[in-house]
Amino acid sequence: ASYRRCLPQIQLYGPTNVAPIINRVAEPAQREQSTGQATKYSVLLVLTDGVVSDMAETRAAIVRASRLPMSIIIVGVGNADFTDMRLLDGDDGPLRCPRGVPAARDIVQFVPFRDFKDAAPSALAKCVLAEVPRQVVEYYASQGISPGAPRPCTLATTPSPSP
């Protein structure tokens, strides 16, 4: 509903350069990883109305980011040909950067919004988030980081009013 409300008020245009935003989100993820704890995991959501203009740079950025505590969700909006976006998804084999280096793990989920035009909002959410749990588990397993002990629940206490 928010998308439909906002769309008439904005103008989408290209080029669609995705590598700079991936690299920007990768910076804090890199700092998080360098702590050896990596308790924070980043998820980047990219909404795009066209194919990626900087495909080689985007592939390289994804391959670098595949070693970090982060996932990338790309939602294609509109009727563009998103064939190249499926390449980034890594579902048909490991994504490789232009030099041939493979991604350490699949961190990208691509979803064409038009496939959910008449579906319940929960169907879109389910598809968009479908791979994130596995991606999180794979990252922490690759780093040898086990889940910590559950934190004890504490109830917020409100002081009793004075009589």
Side-chain angles (χ1 to χ4, degrees):
S2 294
Y3 172 76
R4 286 185 183 96
R5 257 192 331 271
C6 290
L7 191 59
Q9 300 172 29
I10 60 173
Q11 179 179 358
L12 303 173
Y13 61 93
T16 303
N17 294 319
V18 178
I21 190 66
I22 293 171
N23 292 332
R24 175 65 182 92
V25 172
E27 291 171 8
Q30 178 66 53
R31 286 192 299 275
E32 184 65 23
Q33 183 177 32
S34 69
T35 67
Q37 302 285 337
T39 58
K40 295 177 185 166
Y41 190 94
S42 299
V43 178
L44 170 63
L45 172 63
V46 177
L47 303 177
T48 181
D49 70 334
V51 295
V52 174
S53 304
D54 62 343
M55 184 58 84
E57 294 88 352
T58 296
R59 287 173 42 209
I62 291 169
V63 168
R64 284 190 303 275
S66 71
R67 291 162 176 72
L68 300 174
M70 67 180 284
S71 293
I72 302 168
I73 298 168
I74 304 172
V75 177
V77 296
N79 294 316
D81 178 5
F82 293 117
T83 304
D84 287 344
M85 300 298 245
R86 296 184 194 286
L87 167 75
L88 300 177
D89 197 305
D91 288 345
D92 297 327
L95 176 68
R96 294 181 180 276
C97 76
R99 294 188 335 246
V101 176
R105 59 193 181 87
D106 175 18
I107 64 167
V108 176
Q109 170 74 335
F110 171 70
V111 177
F113 182 78
R114 65 180 168 233
D115 292 357
F116 296 88
K117 188 170 76 171
D118 298 321
S122 61
L124 175 62
K126 181 179 179 181
C127 188
V128 163
L129 298 172
E131 295 182 6
V132 173
R134 178 186 48 78
Q135 292 168 351
V136 171
V137 169
E138 284 178 357
Y139 171 75
Y140 286 106
S142 75
Q143 301 299 304
I145 300 172
S146 298
R151 295 182 182 153
C153 293
T154 58
L155 298 174
T157 58
T158 306
S160 300
S162 300

